[in-house]
Amino acid sequence: MGVRFAFGGRGGRARALLTAVGVGLGVAVLLLTTAIPNALAVRDQREQARQDYSFDSPPIPVTDRTLLVASVDTTFREDDVRGRVLQQEGARAPLPPGVAKWPAPGTMVVSPALQKLLASPGGALLRERLPERIVGTIAEPGLIGSHELAFYRGGENLAEQLGGPVRRIDSFGRDDGISEPWDPVLLLLILVIVVVLLMPVAVFVAAAERFGGEGRDRRLAALRLVGSDSAMTRRVAAGEALAGSVLGLVLGMAFFLVGRQLAGSAEVFDVSAFPSYLNPSPVLAVLVAVLVPTAAVAVTLFSLRGVVIEPLGVVRTAKPRRRRLWWRLLLPLAGLGLLYPMLGQGRDDGDFNQYLVTGGVVLLLVGVTALLPWIVERFVARLGGGPVSWQLAVRRLQLSSGTAARTVNGIAVAVAGAIALQMLFTGVASDYTSATGKDTQRVQMQVSMPAGTPTETAATALAATDGVRKVYAYAEGYVSDKAKDPNLGSAVTVGSCADLVEMAELPSCREGDVFAVADAEYDSDTAALGKQGRTVYFDPTYGEDRGTELAWTLPALKRAEATTTMMGYTDKGGLLVTPSALPERARALLTGELYLAIDTSVPDAFERARNTAARIDPLSDPMMWAASQTADRYTSIGTGLYVGSACVLLLIGASLLVSQLEQLRERKKLLSSLIAFGTRRSTLTLSVLWQTAIPIALGLLLANVVGLVLGSVLLRMSDTPVRVDWGSVLTMTGIGAGVVLAVTALSLPPLLRLMRPDGLRTE
């Protein structure tokens, strides 16, 4: 009978479809969530499988299975491009994953996304940097995402740079086997992210199960009045709830499969995936399939208290009994009680208890859903007169405040969780972010050149590049006290007088001078090594006998004082040498370091500088300078947070729209009656807006309070001073309000269609 009620008649089918769509959206997100761990694991496996770094000692000898590889990663505008140069040394050298054939010199194989970018008008500047002919594409096993930009190009004579940017390997997928332990605070952050992102989904699924709740309650109350006992009424309600939830499961699977395919063409915060990555864990998928119908029945049975105990009051649509507060306060208080033992624990006292953290956060957020109906009921009960639209909205809320609160619960939970997460995420940011000390006002880019590249030539070419204001050019190397197995060593920096004054305080400088900076912070050998007449050696060997060491007898040295350089540190010690004082043969042993001041007003100035560097030497390494650097794991967690938040926001918007449409459908006859009596459409439209605005305002206010409390507790748990970033709080609140306003705007067209007197027709 419950199943027949669910699908009986035109109204029943519409109600069942809306319920199924709401549940299906939640199920799709839950399935996507269960698939994310597998997607991340596959991405890690793919990244590991193409690893091309060797940690072997001694170095790998040349065999028929070895190849030479050099990293030539680059950046195009805001996108990272992974690049490798390959040279086969043996007939059995392994191919990189996803590559079917060796690229010859002058050719390259690229990822599909890079091929598309290079062929587009917007990729013209990048095409200058990658002029090789494309002879193939990298298959899925060689990529970590559908939007990854990557290439392999053929190389030659790479052995000349072996030990510098070039390395020899005999297989892909090697690593050092060392895994850095996770910081307890980062683990806490991950755990809270998972709970906070999933809670709104669960709330929306529960709310979707209550679509059409008022009409269903009247039907069940009528059954109760004509003789159905309590158990029978509950069974009918369970059957009706199961019907909608099972249909929702089917739609959810369909939504998930469609979304899974769309994932191959989507990129969120620079993260993409192939559809094959998004395979839910079978155990978790079964858990979702069991929990959703179970939750549907539980929510329905919980809501039947008025129907079973007082059916006549339900049929008469009498004003419901006032909600009680005491048990609603127990939920957040219990959550705080679970989190209390971990206050002040920080990262020094071991990992946080994941069960207490999960339970505490869940109870606090569930407390929002319990408190909000009580707050809405008490608030609207005190509202009085005003314009007609206001009175219509207030009276509707007074009669069915529970329905309005259910609609807002999801957004309130999402905002409360977002505020708490943002407080924790930004509160601990200083622990994972450090200042580089680099003077980004003077220099914005650094270009490293391989050994042997003339620094003066590179500096001239870069200085002539459009958008480059100034170039500081240095050649750097290393000298030691012995040709083999040295004990003392010192850095050597070669540059013009105009450039050397940026590295130390020089008494005076002219071409031919050599300076010793012996008081640098981390330099202990220059004082002993840097003496006139001392013989030092370039390119010393360790346990080898290459015979390539170059001796240099130091000329008269001037003393210079260490100072804070543009690189931001005071340990730039060693020998500072003007070009004419350096032995000619030593030039081939020095690498180039060029520091560029960029005119950011010139369009694509950074890209032009990168293109010039690539023309000078394909193995050059341009790097952007930043005032601060952030730990990789913290950055990765932040990316996951933003991606998850975007998905949840989409769910919030879609679910709110479905909920709004369901409420409008329920009020079709009421709206038609008011129109038939001459009520203006503008009045009814404003009344609907008021009915949305009042609960949303109360929900966001409660979300701010709970979010600030939870965020403060989490910061205390991580032993971090409690600071409230009011800008972030207002941003999270504004995003929540913006989503609701957008949904309300989208619901206006169907609202206007419902405002017709012919809506009173019935069969």
Side-chain angles (χ1 to χ4, degrees):
M1 186 178 287
V3 173
R4 290 180 62 188
F5 279 158
F7 298 106
R10 183 177 176 182
R13 288 190 292 271
R15 181 174 58 252
L17 180 61
L18 286 171
T19 300
V21 170
V23 173
L25 289 170
V27 168
V29 174
L30 288 174
L31 289 175
L32 176 64
T33 305
T34 63
I36 286 176
N38 182 69
L40 295 177
V42 174
R43 282 173 62 94
D44 288 342
Q45 292 167 8
R46 296 281 169 87
E47 181 64 51
Q48 183 60 44
R50 68 184 185 183
Q51 186 66 262
D52 49 25
Y53 291 90
S54 173
F55 297 91
D56 290 340
S57 182
I60 299 173
V62 179
T63 69
D64 65 344
R65 295 188 58 85
T66 58
L67 70 149
L68 299 175
V69 58
S71 298
V72 285
D73 296 342
T74 187
T75 301
F76 182 65
R77 298 192 172 114
E78 300 299 325
D79 298 321
D80 293 328
V81 182
R82 184 182 190 270
R84 297 292 186 269
V85 182
L86 305 176
Q87 182 179 342
Q88 187 180 13
E89 288 189 308
R92 296 195 299 160
L95 282 165
V99 177
K101 184 179 179 181
W102 285 99
T107 67
M108 64 180 177
V109 293
V110 300
S111 65
L114 181 57
Q115 185 175 24
K116 182 179 179 181
L117 175 60
L118 291 174
S120 68
L125 277 173
L126 183 59
R127 198 75 178 100
E128 294 180 18
R129 201 179 315 162
L130 304 176
E132 291 81 7
R133 182 167 57 92
I134 298 175
V135 294
T137 56
I138 305 172
E140 182 178 321
L143 302 170
I144 62 171
S146 57
H147 283 250
E148 185 183 18
L149 305 176
F151 67 89
Y152 292 98
R153 68 185 177 205
E156 52 187 347
N157 303 323
L158 293 184
E160 298 175 1
Q161 295 290 344
L162 192 63
V166 178
R167 52 197 175 273
R168 177 177 287 121
I169 62 172
D170 57 8
S171 65
F172 287 90
R174 307 179 64 143
D175 65 10
D176 58 1
I178 300 174
S179 178
E180 181 185 353
W182 276 85
D183 186 326
V185 173
L186 292 183
L187 289 175
L188 170 67
L189 189 55
I190 293 173
L191 189 60
V192 175
I193 287 174
V194 172
V195 175
V196 166
L197 293 183
L198 287 184
M199 275 302 297
V201 180
V203 170
F204 275 124
V205 170
E209 296 293 352
R210 290 285 292 149
F211 285 175
E214 294 179 7
R216 186 207 60 199
D217 288 352
R218 287 194 295 271
R219 285 194 307 276
L220 294 175
L223 282 177
R224 184 84 172 90
L225 288 172
V226 298
S228 169
D229 60 20
S230 298
M232 188 181 298
T233 305
R234 289 190 172 93
R235 287 198 298 273
V236 171
E240 189 171 353
L242 278 174
S245 63
V246 170
L247 182 58
L249 282 176
V250 175
L251 286 181
M253 178 60 72
F255 292 155
F256 169 74
L257 293 176
V258 172
R260 184 173 177 265
Q261 288 302 121
L262 292 176
S265 59
E267 185 177 29
V268 182
F269 295 103
D270 299 326
V271 175
S272 61
F274 288 101
S276 60
Y277 292 7
L278 295 170
N279 291 323
S281 164
V283 175
L284 294 177
V286 170
L287 193 62
V288 170
V290 171
L291 286 180
V292 169
T294 303
V297 173
V299 169
T300 301
L301 295 181
F302 181 76
S303 65
L304 285 182
R305 292 164 297 166
V307 174
V308 173
I309 299 171
E310 202 176 357
L312 193 59
V314 175
V315 173
R316 289 174 174 170
T317 63
K319 186 177 180 180
R321 292 184 305 167
R322 297 178 68 178
R323 290 177 170 84
R324 303 191 180 196
L325 177 63
W326 66 269
W327 69 268
R328 301 171 191 274
L329 291 175
L330 291 180
L331 294 173
L333 291 176
L336 292 174
L338 291 178
L339 298 176
Y340 179 79
M342 293 174 286
L343 293 181
Q345 179 173 317
R347 63 176 50 82
D348 299 325
D349 295 329
D351 293 337
F352 294 90
N353 187 306
Q354 58 182 342
Y355 301 105
L356 291 180
V357 172
T358 302
V361 175
V362 167
L363 285 174
L364 269 169
L365 294 180
V366 170
V368 173
T369 68
L371 285 170
L372 188 56
W374 182 87
I375 292 174
V376 172
E377 179 186 76
R378 292 304 172 92
F379 182 81
V380 298
R382 290 171 170 76
L383 296 179
V388 175
S389 60
W390 173 266
Q391 294 186 50
L392 287 172
V394 168
R395 187 57 182 155
R396 178 68 185 180
L397 290 174
Q398 289 172 343
L399 289 175
S400 58
S401 61
T403 302
R406 282 196 299 272
T407 305
V408 177
N409 268 335
I411 196 74
V413 168
V415 170
I419 290 172
L421 261 182
Q422 191 69 20
M423 286 181 64
L424 177 60
F425 192 73
T426 57
V428 301
S430 59
D431 296 332
Y432 303 98
T433 304
S434 58
T436 62
K438 294 180 177 179
D439 189 351
T440 55
Q441 298 298 317
R442 296 170 61 193
V443 173
Q444 293 78 41
M445 177 179 280
Q446 177 181 350
V447 180
S448 299
M449 291 289 176
T453 302
T455 307
E456 296 84 355
T457 304
T460 301
L462 286 167
T465 302
D466 189 21
V468 177
R469 291 187 289 107
K470 186 174 179 59
V471 178
Y472 304 91
Y474 306 92
E476 298 187 352
Y478 181 84
V479 293
S480 62
D481 61 334
K482 295 189 295 185
K484 293 179 174 60
D485 299 321
N487 297 316
L488 301 177
S490 181
V492 175
T493 303
V494 182
S496 66
C497 285
D499 292 333
L500 290 181
V501 296
E502 303 291 339
M503 294 295 173
E505 292 184 7
L506 308 181
S508 64
C509 181
R510 65 174 181 266
E511 187 59 38
D513 284 347
V514 178
F515 302 89
V517 184
D519 61 340
E521 189 173 354
Y522 300 108
D523 182 7
S524 59
D525 293 348
T526 299
L529 193 65
K531 297 178 179 179
Q532 182 178 357
R534 179 76 180 259
T535 299
V536 295
Y537 298 87
F538 287 96
D539 196 23
T541 54
Y542 297 83
E544 305 172 63
D545 190 15
R546 296 198 311 263
T548 59
E549 306 84 358
L550 175 63
W552 178 33
T553 301
L554 295 177
L557 302 177
K558 293 184 177 181
R559 295 294 172 184
E561 300 293 328
T563 186
T564 302
T565 66
M566 68 181 77
M567 284 80 77
Y569 47 75
T570 58
D571 61 346
K572 190 61 178 178
L575 304 176
L576 305 183
V577 185
T578 53
S580 63
L582 187 74
E584 187 65 31
R585 289 176 54 199
R587 293 178 181 273
L589 304 175
L590 304 180
T591 59
E593 295 293 344
L594 299 100
Y595 305 92
L596 313 183
I598 303 293
D599 184 358
T600 55
S601 65
V602 176
D604 290 318
F606 291 103
E607 303 310 317
R608 299 178 193 279
R610 292 187 181 107
N611 286 355
T612 301
R615 283 195 299 270
I616 297 170
D617 194 310
L619 300 184
S620 62
D621 184 18
M623 296 170 285
M624 293 284 294
W625 271 20
S628 62
Q629 59 186 4
T630 306
D632 291 340
R633 284 182 171 176
Y634 180 81
T635 302
S636 299
I637 291 172
T639 302
L641 170 60
Y642 299 140
V643 173
S645 299
C647 294
V648 171
L649 274 177
L650 288 175
L651 170 70
I652 287 173
S655 300
L656 277 176
L657 183 58
V658 173
S659 175
Q660 190 84 333
L661 294 177
E662 187 272 340
Q663 289 190 50
L664 292 177
R665 188 193 63 81
E666 285 280 308
R667 301 175 199 167
K668 179 180 178 180
K669 288 188 177 181
L670 174 61
L671 294 172
S672 298
S673 299
L674 290 171
I675 287 293
F677 276 100
T679 309
R680 294 178 180 177
R681 292 190 175 211
S682 59
T683 301
L684 287 180
T685 303
L686 282 175
S687 74
V688 172
L689 292 177
W690 282 123
Q691 289 173 51
T692 304
I694 294 172
I696 282 295
L698 296 174
L700 292 178
L701 182 62
L702 177 62
N704 274 269
V705 173
V706 174
L708 291 172
V709 171
L710 178 56
S712 301
V713 171
L714 292 174
L715 286 173
R716 290 288 306 279
M717 288 167 56
S718 63
D719 200 19
T720 303
V722 177
R723 292 187 298 270
V724 179
D725 183 359
W726 292 107
S728 297
V729 172
L730 293 175
T731 299
M732 296 297 105
T733 306
I735 290 174
V739 169
V740 175
L741 289 175
V743 168
T744 303
L746 290 174
S747 66
L748 289 179
L751 170 63
L752 295 175
R753 286 197 298 271
L754 291 174
M755 293 181 186
R756 296 173 182 172
D758 58 9
L760 291 173
R761 292 177 181 173
T762 187
E763 295 181 9

